[in-house]
């Protein structure tokens, strides 16, 4: 094999390697509101994944071992984009509670659907102080 062919073959193999290693990380659609209760950080967050097939809402507080509580309630809106589900709109409603954090999450019912809105309400409580986010909205 000539030197020129060896170089072309080597470059082709390197290109294939680079293409195999190259990964694109897409961003999720996310809304965050932060605050604090005393010296303890609180985070209210909801998101829709970049492919719009997963949605979640969570409330967290970084605080003492006892005496904190959190809650989240959310509505995730989705609609049909493929097959027999085109044009069908529906929602998931739910929530959760926890001591230092809580999470509510859902996947679309099948590949024919995509989330188009996440709306959530968040509470964190410690020593008679309440952190409250009444409506956190994410739209892709």
């Amino acid at each position: 094999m000539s030197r020129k062919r060896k170089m072309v073959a080597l470059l082709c193999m390197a290109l294939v390697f680079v293409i195999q290693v190259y990964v694109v990380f897409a961003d999720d659609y996310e809304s965050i509101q932060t605050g604090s209760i005393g010296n303890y950080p609180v985070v209210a967050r909801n998101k829709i994944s970049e492919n719009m097939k997963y949605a979640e809402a969570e409330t967290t507080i970084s605080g003492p071992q006892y005496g904190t509580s959190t809650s989240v309630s959310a509505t995730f809106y989705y609609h049909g984009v493929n097959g027999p589900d085109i044009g069908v709109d529906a929602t998931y409603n739910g929530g959760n509670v926890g001591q230092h954090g809580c999470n509510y999450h859902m996947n679309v019912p099948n590949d024919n659907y995509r989330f188009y809105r996440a709306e959530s309400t968040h509470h964190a409580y410690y020593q008679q102080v309440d952190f409250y986010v009444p409506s956190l909205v994410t739209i892709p």
Side-chain angles (χ1 to χ4, degrees), residues 37-133:
I37 297 176
N39 293 327
Y40 304 114
V42 182
V43 177
R45 179 180 73 88
N46 67 26
K47 79 173 187 177
I48 297 173
S49 66
E50 54 87 20
N51 66 4
M52 295 184 279
K53 294 181 180 182
Y54 174 81
E56 74 176 344
E58 69 179 356
T59 307
T60 58
I61 182 171
S62 300
Q65 191 70 349
Y66 300 101
T68 61
S69 64
T70 62
S71 68
V72 64
S73 61
T75 302
F76 303 137
Y77 300 83
Y78 58 96
H79 61 268
V81 296
N82 292 317
D85 301 315
I86 289 177
V88 176
D89 289 326
T91 61
Y92 287 124
N93 295 295
N96 212 335
V97 296
Q99 184 175 355
H100 292 290
C102 54
N103 181 291
Y104 175 69
H105 60 277
M106 297 298 293
N107 292 305
V108 290
N110 61 51
D111 283 338
N112 292 336
Y113 291 94
R114 300 293 183 271
F115 287 109
Y116 67 90
R117 181 182 177 95
E119 185 169 350
S120 54
T121 300
H122 305 260
H123 280 98
Y125 180 81
Y126 177 64
Q127 290 187 342
Q128 300 176 348
V129 179
D130 190 32
F131 172 84
Y132 177 61
V133 178

